[in-house]
Amino acid sequence: MTVNEEGEFNDKSDDDLGCLSNPEDEGGNIKKHKLVEFDQDKDMENPRLMEGMVFPNVTAFKALFKEFHIREGCEYTYLKNESTRVTIICKEKCGFRLHASPMLGEKSFQIKNIRADHCCTRKYINKYATSKWIAGKYMEVLTDEPDKNVKTLKNDVKRDWMLHVSRKKILINKNPGSTALLKVKRINSTVFFQRLFICFDAQAKGFLTGCRPFIGLDACFLKGHYGGQLMAAVGRDANNQMYTLCIAIVEKFIGLVESFKRLMPNVEQKFYLRHMYANYNKTYKGKEYKDLFWGAASAYTVSELNKQMADMKRVDKKAYEWMLSEEK
């Protein structure tokens, strides 16, 4: 499908590039134009779209295209949006048309043809100017001025980009009463992330008003370059579903048992047995050890527990001591 000079659709496929002013050669490259390479810093600061422009991949191409049209005050529609070709026209069908596709044998993405003159009027509301886009533009400003109010930020966006944005897109205090704590470590003039804790006000209120009176705690390793652990506190709601209360990212898993004894000495504690057994099974393997563990874990009376623990002690004193140490 293509668009004629009046912005009307016809039934030609996008593979029929007879409307293009600069046909492609056998290598899929523009014949007439010298290749212009996309410069991330320069072109994202002052967006331009040029016939023959080469991008490292389709993602970089779409990022520049989006930036260009937000600043131009135009919206667009994809006729084709594939990994092998992208064809775009102006949403107002004013005549703007762009076709881009990979260069032969490369991941590089190239603008093969563009009719870039918009003749439609500027739009002051643009759906592509998302909250994520706005945050990227004003991150440094909000870091320096964390108390900047919504009205002021709306006016900043209007003045800087000639855009009218809703309060929803730039609202800072979406959940007043929430707790977000960030700990950093400073070495000379360099700041390093250390740990983070987040609990939204709605989560805390929901737990108090609609959940059962117990909290489960667990952690998992973060296997990325920087390591650390992700911790979560969860509850159970009235439908017996998991309810996230808060999360934290820390350097390592602290001793929760010791912490509870110090901070909440009268709170009853229970262990997640499958997690406990996974640790036990690293050292004490085999059916006999498995039966000993679950025999003790399944005991419902003190006398039955003492009997099961005595059996474990007779088989392996170290396994018995391991169980006692976990109970502490």
Side-chain angles (χ1 to χ4, degrees), residues 134 138-157 159-160 170-173:
I134 295 170
Y138 292 93
M139 183 60 69
E140 292 186 3
V141 173
L142 293 174
T143 300
D144 295 336
E145 304 176 53
D147 296 327
K148 180 183 282 288
N149 61 49
V150 173
K151 183 178 180 180
T152 301
L153 187 55
K154 281 186 65 175
N155 290 336
D156 288 347
V157 174
R159 180 180 61 254
D160 297 342
I170 61 175
L171 196 58
I172 298 173
N173 293 320

mmCIF file with all atom_site columns, all heavy atoms in Angstrom, residues 134 138-157 159-160 170-173:
data_model
loop_
_atom_site.group_PDB
_atom_site.id
_atom_site.type_symbol
_atom_site.label_atom_id
_atom_site.label_alt_id
_atom_site.label_comp_id
_atom_site.label_asym_id
_atom_site.label_entity_id
_atom_site.label_seq_id
_atom_site.pdbx_PDB_ins_code
_atom_site.Cartn_x
_atom_site.Cartn_y
_atom_site.Cartn_z
_atom_site.occupancy
_atom_site.B_iso_or_equiv
_atom_site.pdbx_formal_charge
_atom_site.auth_seq_id
_atom_site.auth_comp_id
_atom_site.auth_asym_id
_atom_site.auth_atom_id
_atom_site.pdbx_PDB_model_num
ATOM 1   N N   . ILE A 1 134 ? 8.957  12.032 28.826 1.00 0.00 ? 134 ILE A N   1
ATOM 2   C CA  . ILE A 1 134 ? 9.068  13.244 29.645 1.00 0.00 ? 134 ILE A CA  1
ATOM 3   C C   . ILE A 1 134 ? 10.080 13.043 30.768 1.00 0.00 ? 134 ILE A C   1
ATOM 4   O O   . ILE A 1 134 ? 10.904 13.918 31.054 1.00 0.00 ? 134 ILE A O   1
ATOM 5   C CB  . ILE A 1 134 ? 7.695  13.633 30.218 1.00 0.00 ? 134 ILE A CB  1
ATOM 6   C CG1 . ILE A 1 134 ? 6.746  14.016 29.070 1.00 0.00 ? 134 ILE A CG1 1
ATOM 7   C CG2 . ILE A 1 134 ? 7.824  14.786 31.208 1.00 0.00 ? 134 ILE A CG2 1
ATOM 8   C CD1 . ILE A 1 134 ? 5.307  14.190 29.505 1.00 0.00 ? 134 ILE A CD1 1
ATOM 9   N N   . TYR A 1 138 ? 13.523 15.297 31.708 1.00 0.00 ? 138 TYR A N   1
ATOM 10  C CA  . TYR A 1 138 ? 13.577 16.127 32.915 1.00 0.00 ? 138 TYR A CA  1
ATOM 11  C C   . TYR A 1 138 ? 14.173 15.396 34.123 1.00 0.00 ? 138 TYR A C   1
ATOM 12  O O   . TYR A 1 138 ? 14.002 15.848 35.252 1.00 0.00 ? 138 TYR A O   1
ATOM 13  C CB  . TYR A 1 138 ? 12.172 16.641 33.243 1.00 0.00 ? 138 TYR A CB  1
ATOM 14  C CG  . TYR A 1 138 ? 11.674 17.629 32.217 1.00 0.00 ? 138 TYR A CG  1
ATOM 15  C CD1 . TYR A 1 138 ? 10.918 17.207 31.134 1.00 0.00 ? 138 TYR A CD1 1
ATOM 16  C CD2 . TYR A 1 138 ? 12.000 18.980 32.302 1.00 0.00 ? 138 TYR A CD2 1
ATOM 17  C CE1 . TYR A 1 138 ? 10.489 18.102 30.166 1.00 0.00 ? 138 TYR A CE1 1
ATOM 18  C CE2 . TYR A 1 138 ? 11.565 19.881 31.353 1.00 0.00 ? 138 TYR A CE2 1
ATOM 19  C CZ  . TYR A 1 138 ? 10.817 19.444 30.278 1.00 0.00 ? 138 TYR A CZ  1
ATOM 20  O OH  . TYR A 1 138 ? 10.405 20.331 29.320 1.00 0.00 ? 138 TYR A OH  1
ATOM 21  N N   . MET A 1 139 ? 14.875 14.304 33.894 1.00 0.00 ? 139 MET A N   1
ATOM 22  C CA  . MET A 1 139 ? 15.440 13.545 35.001 1.00 0.00 ? 139 MET A CA  1
ATOM 23  C C   . MET A 1 139 ? 16.418 14.387 35.812 1.00 0.00 ? 139 MET A C   1
ATOM 24  O O   . MET A 1 139 ? 16.370 14.415 37.054 1.00 0.00 ? 139 MET A O   1
ATOM 25  C CB  . MET A 1 139 ? 16.138 12.289 34.473 1.00 0.00 ? 139 MET A CB  1
ATOM 26  C CG  . MET A 1 139 ? 16.707 11.398 35.573 1.00 0.00 ? 139 MET A CG  1
ATOM 27  S SD  . MET A 1 139 ? 15.425 10.809 36.704 1.00 0.00 ? 139 MET A SD  1
ATOM 28  C CE  . MET A 1 139 ? 14.526 9.697  35.615 1.00 0.00 ? 139 MET A CE  1
ATOM 29  N N   . GLU A 1 140 ? 17.312 15.088 35.128 1.00 0.00 ? 140 GLU A N   1
ATOM 30  C CA  . GLU A 1 140 ? 18.291 15.906 35.855 1.00 0.00 ? 140 GLU A CA  1
ATOM 31  C C   . GLU A 1 140 ? 17.617 17.050 36.593 1.00 0.00 ? 140 GLU A C   1
ATOM 32  O O   . GLU A 1 140 ? 18.004 17.399 37.717 1.00 0.00 ? 140 GLU A O   1
ATOM 33  C CB  . GLU A 1 140 ? 19.338 16.441 34.881 1.00 0.00 ? 140 GLU A CB  1
ATOM 34  C CG  . GLU A 1 140 ? 20.255 15.359 34.302 1.00 0.00 ? 140 GLU A CG  1
ATOM 35  C CD  . GLU A 1 140 ? 21.356 15.951 33.453 1.00 0.00 ? 140 GLU A CD  1
ATOM 36  O OE1 . GLU A 1 140 ? 21.443 17.196 33.355 1.00 0.00 ? 140 GLU A OE1 1
ATOM 37  O OE2 . GLU A 1 140 ? 22.140 15.165 32.881 1.00 0.00 ? 140 GLU A OE2 1
ATOM 38  N N   . VAL A 1 141 ? 16.599 17.643 35.982 1.00 0.00 ? 141 VAL A N   1
ATOM 39  C CA  . VAL A 1 141 ? 15.874 18.746 36.622 1.00 0.00 ? 141 VAL A CA  1
ATOM 40  C C   . VAL A 1 141 ? 15.194 18.263 37.898 1.00 0.00 ? 141 VAL A C   1
ATOM 41  O O   . VAL A 1 141 ? 15.280 18.911 38.954 1.00 0.00 ? 141 VAL A O   1
ATOM 42  C CB  . VAL A 1 141 ? 14.820 19.329 35.662 1.00 0.00 ? 141 VAL A CB  1
ATOM 43  C CG1 . VAL A 1 141 ? 13.947 20.361 36.376 1.00 0.00 ? 141 VAL A CG1 1
ATOM 44  C CG2 . VAL A 1 141 ? 15.501 19.962 34.454 1.00 0.00 ? 141 VAL A CG2 1
ATOM 45  N N   . LEU A 1 142 ? 14.525 17.099 37.826 1.00 0.00 ? 142 LEU A N   1
ATOM 46  C CA  . LEU A 1 142 ? 13.822 16.574 38.994 1.00 0.00 ? 142 LEU A CA  1
ATOM 47  C C   . LEU A 1 142 ? 14.793 16.094 40.067 1.00 0.00 ? 142 LEU A C   1
ATOM 48  O O   . LEU A 1 142 ? 14.464 16.118 41.254 1.00 0.00 ? 142 LEU A O   1
ATOM 49  C CB  . LEU A 1 142 ? 12.899 15.437 38.573 1.00 0.00 ? 142 LEU A CB  1
ATOM 50  C CG  . LEU A 1 142 ? 11.721 15.850 37.681 1.00 0.00 ? 142 LEU A CG  1
ATOM 51  C CD1 . LEU A 1 142 ? 10.960 14.632 37.205 1.00 0.00 ? 142 LEU A CD1 1
ATOM 52  C CD2 . LEU A 1 142 ? 10.795 16.800 38.420 1.00 0.00 ? 142 LEU A CD2 1
ATOM 53  N N   . THR A 1 143 ? 15.987 15.656 39.654 1.00 0.00 ? 143 THR A N   1
ATOM 54  C CA  . THR A 1 143 ? 17.004 15.268 40.632 1.00 0.00 ? 143 THR A CA  1
ATOM 55  C C   . THR A 1 143 ? 17.472 16.485 41.417 1.00 0.00 ? 143 THR A C   1
ATOM 56  O O   . THR A 1 143 ? 17.657 16.435 42.635 1.00 0.00 ? 143 THR A O   1
ATOM 57  C CB  . THR A 1 143 ? 18.202 14.611 39.929 1.00 0.00 ? 143 THR A CB  1
ATOM 58  O OG1 . THR A 1 143 ? 17.752 13.440 39.237 1.00 0.00 ? 143 THR A OG1 1
ATOM 59  C CG2 . THR A 1 143 ? 19.266 14.208 40.944 1.00 0.00 ? 143 THR A CG2 1
ATOM 60  N N   . ASP A 1 144 ? 17.649 17.601 40.711 1.00 0.00 ? 144 ASP A N   1
ATOM 61  C CA  . ASP A 1 144 ? 18.087 18.844 41.364 1.00 0.00 ? 144 ASP A CA  1
ATOM 62  C C   . ASP A 1 144 ? 16.950 19.524 42.116 1.00 0.00 ? 144 ASP A C   1
ATOM 63  O O   . ASP A 1 144 ? 17.182 20.203 43.120 1.00 0.00 ? 144 ASP A O   1
ATOM 64  C CB  . ASP A 1 144 ? 18.663 19.808 40.327 1.00 0.00 ? 144 ASP A CB  1
ATOM 65  C CG  . ASP A 1 144 ? 19.938 19.284 39.683 1.00 0.00 ? 144 ASP A CG  1
ATOM 66  O OD1 . ASP A 1 144 ? 20.608 18.447 40.327 1.00 0.00 ? 144 ASP A OD1 1
ATOM 67  O OD2 . ASP A 1 144 ? 20.259 19.689 38.559 1.00 0.00 ? 144 ASP A OD2 1
ATOM 68  N N   . GLU A 1 145 ? 15.712 19.365 41.617 1.00 0.00 ? 145 GLU A N   1
ATOM 69  C CA  . GLU A 1 145 ? 14.560 20.015 42.237 1.00 0.00 ? 145 GLU A CA  1
ATOM 70  C C   . GLU A 1 145 ? 13.460 18.981 42.512 1.00 0.00 ? 145 GLU A C   1
ATOM 71  O O   . GLU A 1 145 ? 12.431 18.975 41.843 1.00 0.00 ? 145 GLU A O   1
ATOM 72  C CB  . GLU A 1 145 ? 14.013 21.108 41.324 1.00 0.00 ? 145 GLU A CB  1
ATOM 73  C CG  . GLU A 1 145 ? 15.033 22.156 40.921 1.00 0.00 ? 145 GLU A CG  1
ATOM 74  C CD  . GLU A 1 145 ? 14.460 23.151 39.932 1.00 0.00 ? 145 GLU A CD  1
ATOM 75  O OE1 . GLU A 1 145 ? 13.389 23.740 40.237 1.00 0.00 ? 145 GLU A OE1 1
ATOM 76  O OE2 . GLU A 1 145 ? 15.051 23.321 38.850 1.00 0.00 ? 145 GLU A OE2 1
ATOM 77  N N   . PRO A 1 146 ? 13.656 18.103 43.480 1.00 0.00 ? 146 PRO A N   1
ATOM 78  C CA  . PRO A 1 146 ? 12.674 17.032 43.741 1.00 0.00 ? 146 PRO A CA  1
ATOM 79  C C   . PRO A 1 146 ? 11.308 17.540 44.184 1.00 0.00 ? 146 PRO A C   1
ATOM 80  O O   . PRO A 1 146 ? 10.324 16.798 44.103 1.00 0.00 ? 146 PRO A O   1
ATOM 81  C CB  . PRO A 1 146 ? 13.349 16.201 44.839 1.00 0.00 ? 146 PRO A CB  1
ATOM 82  C CG  . PRO A 1 146 ? 14.326 17.125 45.491 1.00 0.00 ? 146 PRO A CG  1
ATOM 83  C CD  . PRO A 1 146 ? 14.809 18.035 44.400 1.00 0.00 ? 146 PRO A CD  1
ATOM 84  N N   . ASP A 1 147 ? 11.223 18.794 44.650 1.00 0.00 ? 147 ASP A N   1
ATOM 85  C CA  . ASP A 1 147 ? 9.955  19.340 45.112 1.00 0.00 ? 147 ASP A CA  1
ATOM 86  C C   . ASP A 1 147 ? 9.219  20.138 44.039 1.00 0.00 ? 147 ASP A C   1
ATOM 87  O O   . ASP A 1 147 ? 8.213  20.792 44.328 1.00 0.00 ? 147 ASP A O   1
ATOM 88  C CB  . ASP A 1 147 ? 10.190 20.241 46.337 1.00 0.00 ? 147 ASP A CB  1
ATOM 89  C CG  . ASP A 1 147 ? 10.726 19.463 47.527 1.00 0.00 ? 147 ASP A CG  1
ATOM 90  O OD1 . ASP A 1 147 ? 10.348 18.283 47.667 1.00 0.00 ? 147 ASP A OD1 1
ATOM 91  O OD2 . ASP A 1 147 ? 11.529 20.022 48.298 1.00 0.00 ? 147 ASP A OD2 1
ATOM 92  N N   . LYS A 1 148 ? 9.709  20.080 42.807 1.00 0.00 ? 148 LYS A N   1
ATOM 93  C CA  . LYS A 1 148 ? 9.037  20.806 41.712 1.00 0.00 ? 148 LYS A CA  1
ATOM 94  C C   . LYS A 1 148 ? 7.606  20.296 41.587 1.00 0.00 ? 148 LYS A C   1
ATOM 95  O O   . LYS A 1 148 ? 7.366  19.089 41.504 1.00 0.00 ? 148 LYS A O   1
ATOM 96  C CB  . LYS A 1 148 ? 9.789  20.591 40.405 1.00 0.00 ? 148 LYS A CB  1
ATOM 97  C CG  . LYS A 1 148 ? 9.164  21.310 39.206 1.00 0.00 ? 148 LYS A CG  1
ATOM 98  C CD  . LYS A 1 148 ? 9.916  20.980 37.936 1.00 0.00 ? 148 LYS A CD  1
ATOM 99  C CE  . LYS A 1 148 ? 11.199 21.767 37.823 1.00 0.00 ? 148 LYS A CE  1
ATOM 100 N NZ  . LYS A 1 148 ? 10.962 23.199 37.536 1.00 0.00 ? 148 LYS A NZ  1
ATOM 101 N N   . ASN A 1 149 ? 6.640  21.215 41.551 1.00 0.00 ? 149 ASN A N   1
ATOM 102 C CA  . ASN A 1 149 ? 5.238  20.783 41.523 1.00 0.00 ? 149 ASN A CA  1
ATOM 103 C C   . ASN A 1 149 ? 4.767  20.480 40.106 1.00 0.00 ? 149 ASN A C   1
ATOM 104 O O   . ASN A 1 149 ? 5.433  20.806 39.113 1.00 0.00 ? 149 ASN A O   1
ATOM 105 C CB  . ASN A 1 149 ? 4.323  21.822 42.192 1.00 0.00 ? 149 ASN A CB  1
ATOM 106 C CG  . ASN A 1 149 ? 4.367  23.174 41.487 1.00 0.00 ? 149 ASN A CG  1
ATOM 107 O OD1 . ASN A 1 149 ? 4.238  23.253 40.270 1.00 0.00 ? 149 ASN A OD1 1
ATOM 108 N ND2 . ASN A 1 149 ? 4.555  24.238 42.252 1.00 0.00 ? 149 ASN A ND2 1
ATOM 109 N N   . VAL A 1 150 ? 3.605  19.861 40.016 1.00 0.00 ? 150 VAL A N   1
ATOM 110 C CA  . VAL A 1 150 ? 3.088  19.373 38.741 1.00 0.00 ? 150 VAL A CA  1
ATOM 111 C C   . VAL A 1 150 ? 2.808  20.525 37.784 1.00 0.00 ? 150 VAL A C   1
ATOM 112 O O   . VAL A 1 150 ? 3.127  20.454 36.589 1.00 0.00 ? 150 VAL A O   1
ATOM 113 C CB  . VAL A 1 150 ? 1.812  18.544 38.981 1.00 0.00 ? 150 VAL A CB  1
ATOM 114 C CG1 . VAL A 1 150 ? 1.153  18.173 37.663 1.00 0.00 ? 150 VAL A CG1 1
ATOM 115 C CG2 . VAL A 1 150 ? 2.133  17.303 39.784 1.00 0.00 ? 150 VAL A CG2 1
ATOM 116 N N   . LYS A 1 151 ? 2.212  21.591 38.275 1.00 0.00 ? 151 LYS A N   1
ATOM 117 C CA  . LYS A 1 151 ? 1.869  22.726 37.413 1.00 0.00 ? 151 LYS A CA  1
ATOM 118 C C   . LYS A 1 151 ? 3.105  23.332 36.777 1.00 0.00 ? 151 LYS A C   1
ATOM 119 O O   . LYS A 1 151 ? 3.113  23.642 35.574 1.00 0.00 ? 151 LYS A O   1
ATOM 120 C CB  . LYS A 1 151 ? 1.116  23.780 38.222 1.00 0.00 ? 151 LYS A CB  1
ATOM 121 C CG  . LYS A 1 151 ? 0.656  24.963 37.387 1.00 0.00 ? 151 LYS A CG  1
ATOM 122 C CD  . LYS A 1 151 ? -0.130 25.956 38.231 1.00 0.00 ? 151 LYS A CD  1
ATOM 123 C CE  . LYS A 1 151 ? -0.585 27.148 37.381 1.00 0.00 ? 151 LYS A CE  1
ATOM 124 N NZ  . LYS A 1 151 ? -1.360 28.136 38.195 1.00 0.00 ? 151 LYS A NZ  1
ATOM 125 N N   . THR A 1 152 ? 4.166  23.467 37.559 1.00 0.00 ? 152 THR A N   1
ATOM 126 C CA  . THR A 1 152 ? 5.401  24.042 37.036 1.00 0.00 ? 152 THR A CA  1
ATOM 127 C C   . THR A 1 152 ? 6.014  23.141 35.966 1.00 0.00 ? 152 THR A C   1
ATOM 128 O O   . THR A 1 152 ? 6.480  23.613 34.923 1.00 0.00 ? 152 THR A O   1
ATOM 129 C CB  . THR A 1 152 ? 6.426  24.246 38.172 1.00 0.00 ? 152 THR A CB  1
ATOM 130 O OG1 . THR A 1 152 ? 5.855  25.112 39.158 1.00 0.00 ? 152 THR A OG1 1
ATOM 131 C CG2 . THR A 1 152 ? 7.710  24.884 37.643 1.00 0.00 ? 152 THR A CG2 1
ATOM 132 N N   . LEU A 1 153 ? 5.992  21.845 36.212 1.00 0.00 ? 153 LEU A N   1
ATOM 133 C CA  . LEU A 1 153 ? 6.557  20.923 35.233 1.00 0.00 ? 153 LEU A CA  1
ATOM 134 C C   . LEU A 1 153 ? 5.723  20.913 33.947 1.00 0.00 ? 153 LEU A C   1
ATOM 135 O O   . LEU A 1 153 ? 6.270  20.847 32.842 1.00 0.00 ? 153 LEU A O   1
ATOM 136 C CB  . LEU A 1 153 ? 6.629  19.515 35.826 1.00 0.00 ? 153 LEU A CB  1
ATOM 137 C CG  . LEU A 1 153 ? 7.361  18.464 34.985 1.00 0.00 ? 153 LEU A CG  1
ATOM 138 C CD1 . LEU A 1 153 ? 8.769  18.925 34.635 1.00 0.00 ? 153 LEU A CD1 1
ATOM 139 C CD2 . LEU A 1 153 ? 7.417  17.138 35.723 1.00 0.00 ? 153 LEU A CD2 1
ATOM 140 N N   . LYS A 1 154 ? 4.408  21.000 34.060 1.00 0.00 ? 154 LYS A N   1
ATOM 141 C CA  . LYS A 1 154 ? 3.559  21.090 32.873 1.00 0.00 ? 154 LYS A CA  1
ATOM 142 C C   . LYS A 1 154 ? 3.913  22.319 32.051 1.00 0.00 ? 154 LYS A C   1
ATOM 143 O O   . LYS A 1 154 ? 3.988  22.260 30.809 1.00 0.00 ? 154 LYS A O   1
ATOM 144 C CB  . LYS A 1 154 ? 2.083  21.158 33.281 1.00 0.00 ? 154 LYS A CB  1
ATOM 145 C CG  . LYS A 1 154 ? 1.457  19.837 33.661 1.00 0.00 ? 154 LYS A CG  1
ATOM 146 C CD  . LYS A 1 154 ? -0.033 19.988 33.903 1.00 0.00 ? 154 LYS A CD  1
ATOM 147 C CE  . LYS A 1 154 ? -0.746 20.374 32.622 1.00 0.00 ? 154 LYS A CE  1
ATOM 148 N NZ  . LYS A 1 154 ? -2.223 20.415 32.818 1.00 0.00 ? 154 LYS A NZ  1
ATOM 149 N N   . ASN A 1 155 ? 4.131  23.422 32.727 1.00 0.00 ? 155 ASN A N   1
ATOM 150 C CA  . ASN A 1 155 ? 4.499  24.657 32.027 1.00 0.00 ? 155 ASN A CA  1
ATOM 151 C C   . ASN A 1 155 ? 5.873  24.539 31.374 1.00 0.00 ? 155 ASN A C   1
ATOM 152 O O   . ASN A 1 155 ? 6.100  25.083 30.283 1.00 0.00 ? 155 ASN A O   1
ATOM 153 C CB  . ASN A 1 155 ? 4.475  25.841 32.991 1.00 0.00 ? 155 ASN A CB  1
ATOM 154 C CG  . ASN A 1 155 ? 3.070  26.217 33.422 1.00 0.00 ? 155 ASN A CG  1
ATOM 155 O OD1 . ASN A 1 155 ? 2.098  25.933 32.708 1.00 0.00 ? 155 ASN A OD1 1
ATOM 156 N ND2 . ASN A 1 155 ? 2.931  26.826 34.580 1.00 0.00 ? 155 ASN A ND2 1
ATOM 157 N N   . ASP A 1 156 ? 6.784  23.833 32.029 1.00 0.00 ? 156 ASP A N   1
ATOM 158 C CA  . ASP A 1 156 ? 8.111  23.618 31.445 1.00 0.00 ? 156 ASP A CA  1
ATOM 159 C C   . ASP A 1 156 ? 8.008  22.834 30.139 1.00 0.00 ? 156 ASP A C   1
ATOM 160 O O   . ASP A 1 156 ? 8.647  23.167 29.140 1.00 0.00 ? 156 ASP A O   1
ATOM 161 C CB  . ASP A 1 156 ? 9.016  22.859 32.424 1.00 0.00 ? 156 ASP A CB  1
ATOM 162 C CG  . ASP A 1 156 ? 9.452  23.713 33.605 1.00 0.00 ? 156 ASP A CG  1
ATOM 163 O OD1 . ASP A 1 156 ? 9.265  24.945 33.545 1.00 0.00 ? 156 ASP A OD1 1
ATOM 164 O OD2 . ASP A 1 156 ? 9.974  23.142 34.583 1.00 0.00 ? 156 ASP A OD2 1
ATOM 165 N N   . VAL A 1 157 ? 7.191  21.772 30.152 1.00 0.00 ? 157 VAL A N   1
ATOM 166 C CA  . VAL A 1 157 ? 7.012  20.956 28.946 1.00 0.00 ? 157 VAL A CA  1
ATOM 167 C C   . VAL A 1 157 ? 6.360  21.779 27.838 1.00 0.00 ? 157 VAL A C   1
ATOM 168 O O   . VAL A 1 157 ? 6.763  21.702 26.665 1.00 0.00 ? 157 VAL A O   1
ATOM 169 C CB  . VAL A 1 157 ? 6.161  19.710 29.258 1.00 0.00 ? 157 VAL A CB  1
ATOM 170 C CG1 . VAL A 1 157 ? 5.853  18.940 27.988 1.00 0.00 ? 157 VAL A CG1 1
ATOM 171 C CG2 . VAL A 1 157 ? 6.869  18.818 30.269 1.00 0.00 ? 157 VAL A CG2 1
ATOM 172 N N   . ARG A 1 159 ? 6.493  25.050 27.399 1.00 0.00 ? 159 ARG A N   1
ATOM 173 C CA  . ARG A 1 159 ? 7.435  26.048 26.903 1.00 0.00 ? 159 ARG A CA  1
ATOM 174 C C   . ARG A 1 159 ? 8.564  25.410 26.095 1.00 0.00 ? 159 ARG A C   1
ATOM 175 O O   . ARG A 1 159 ? 8.933  25.908 25.025 1.00 0.00 ? 159 ARG A O   1
ATOM 176 C CB  . ARG A 1 159 ? 8.027  26.821 28.083 1.00 0.00 ? 159 ARG A CB  1
ATOM 177 C CG  . ARG A 1 159 ? 9.030  27.902 27.658 1.00 0.00 ? 159 ARG A CG  1
ATOM 178 C CD  . ARG A 1 159 ? 9.606  28.644 28.852 1.00 0.00 ? 159 ARG A CD  1
ATOM 179 N NE  . ARG A 1 159 ? 10.323 27.755 29.753 1.00 0.00 ? 159 ARG A NE  1
ATOM 180 C CZ  . ARG A 1 159 ? 9.861  27.370 30.929 1.00 0.00 ? 159 ARG A CZ  1
ATOM 181 N NH1 . ARG A 1 159 ? 8.678  27.783 31.357 1.00 0.00 ? 159 ARG A NH1 1
ATOM 182 N NH2 . ARG A 1 159 ? 10.564 26.551 31.708 1.00 0.00 ? 159 ARG A NH2 1
ATOM 183 N N   . ASP A 1 160 ? 9.100  24.293 26.583 1.00 0.00 ? 160 ASP A N   1
ATOM 184 C CA  . ASP A 1 160 ? 10.268 23.686 25.939 1.00 0.00 ? 160 ASP A CA  1
ATOM 185 C C   . ASP A 1 160 ? 9.924  22.935 24.655 1.00 0.00 ? 160 ASP A C   1
ATOM 186 O O   . ASP A 1 160 ? 10.719 22.928 23.703 1.00 0.00 ? 160 ASP A O   1
ATOM 187 C CB  . ASP A 1 160 ? 10.955 22.719 26.913 1.00 0.00 ? 160 ASP A CB  1
ATOM 188 C CG  . ASP A 1 160 ? 11.507 23.426 28.145 1.00 0.00 ? 160 ASP A CG  1
ATOM 189 O OD1 . ASP A 1 160 ? 11.675 24.659 28.096 1.00 0.00 ? 160 ASP A OD1 1
ATOM 190 O OD2 . ASP A 1 160 ? 11.755 22.730 29.156 1.00 0.00 ? 160 ASP A OD2 1
ATOM 191 N N   . ILE A 1 170 ? 2.711  13.432 34.169 1.00 0.00 ? 170 ILE A N   1
ATOM 192 C CA  . ILE A 1 170 ? 3.850  14.010 34.893 1.00 0.00 ? 170 ILE A CA  1
ATOM 193 C C   . ILE A 1 170 ? 3.636  14.068 36.394 1.00 0.00 ? 170 ILE A C   1
ATOM 194 O O   . ILE A 1 170 ? 4.430  14.669 37.115 1.00 0.00 ? 170 ILE A O   1
ATOM 195 C CB  . ILE A 1 170 ? 4.149  15.435 34.382 1.00 0.00 ? 170 ILE A CB  1
ATOM 196 C CG1 . ILE A 1 170 ? 2.944  16.363 34.596 1.00 0.00 ? 170 ILE A CG1 1
ATOM 197 C CG2 . ILE A 1 170 ? 4.552  15.421 32.934 1.00 0.00 ? 170 ILE A CG2 1
ATOM 198 C CD1 . ILE A 1 170 ? 3.230  17.802 34.228 1.00 0.00 ? 170 ILE A CD1 1
ATOM 199 N N   . LEU A 1 171 ? 2.561  13.446 36.879 1.00 0.00 ? 171 LEU A N   1
ATOM 200 C CA  . LEU A 1 171 ? 2.275  13.495 38.305 1.00 0.00 ? 171 LEU A CA  1
ATOM 201 C C   . LEU A 1 171 ? 3.394  12.878 39.112 1.00 0.00 ? 171 LEU A C   1
ATOM 202 O O   . LEU A 1 171 ? 3.807  11.750 38.870 1.00 0.00 ? 171 LEU A O   1
ATOM 203 C CB  . LEU A 1 171 ? 0.958  12.757 38.581 1.00 0.00 ? 171 LEU A CB  1
ATOM 204 C CG  . LEU A 1 171 ? 0.312  13.025 39.927 1.00 0.00 ? 171 LEU A CG  1
ATOM 205 C CD1 . LEU A 1 171 ? 0.037  14.496 40.110 1.00 0.00 ? 171 LEU A CD1 1
ATOM 206 C CD2 . LEU A 1 171 ? -0.955 12.222 40.077 1.00 0.00 ? 171 LEU A CD2 1
ATOM 207 N N   . ILE A 1 172 ? 3.905  13.622 40.071 1.00 0.00 ? 172 ILE A N   1
ATOM 208 C CA  . ILE A 1 172 ? 5.044  13.163 40.869 1.00 0.00 ? 172 ILE A CA  1
ATOM 209 C C   . ILE A 1 172 ? 4.570  12.311 42.039 1.00 0.00 ? 172 ILE A C   1
ATOM 210 O O   . ILE A 1 172 ? 5.034  11.191 42.248 1.00 0.00 ? 172 ILE A O   1
ATOM 211 C CB  . ILE A 1 172 ? 5.853  14.377 41.387 1.00 0.00 ? 172 ILE A CB  1
ATOM 212 C CG1 . ILE A 1 172 ? 6.402  15.170 40.190 1.00 0.00 ? 172 ILE A CG1 1
ATOM 213 C CG2 . ILE A 1 172 ? 6.987  13.930 42.287 1.00 0.00 ? 172 ILE A CG2 1
ATOM 214 C CD1 . ILE A 1 172 ? 7.050  16.466 40.595 1.00 0.00 ? 172 ILE A CD1 1
ATOM 215 N N   . ASN A 1 173 ? 3.628  12.806 42.829 1.00 0.00 ? 173 ASN A N   1
ATOM 216 C CA  . ASN A 1 173 ? 3.168  12.083 44.021 1.00 0.00 ? 173 ASN A CA  1
ATOM 217 C C   . ASN A 1 173 ? 1.953  11.224 43.685 1.00 0.00 ? 173 ASN A C   1
ATOM 218 O O   . ASN A 1 173 ? 0.819  11.557 43.991 1.00 0.00 ? 173 ASN A O   1
ATOM 219 C CB  . ASN A 1 173 ? 2.824  13.079 45.144 1.00 0.00 ? 173 ASN A CB  1
ATOM 220 C CG  . ASN A 1 173 ? 4.055  13.779 45.644 1.00 0.00 ? 173 ASN A CG  1
ATOM 221 O OD1 . ASN A 1 173 ? 5.089  13.176 45.773 1.00 0.00 ? 173 ASN A OD1 1
ATOM 222 N ND2 . ASN A 1 173 ? 3.941  15.071 45.915 1.00 0.00 ? 173 ASN A ND2 1
#
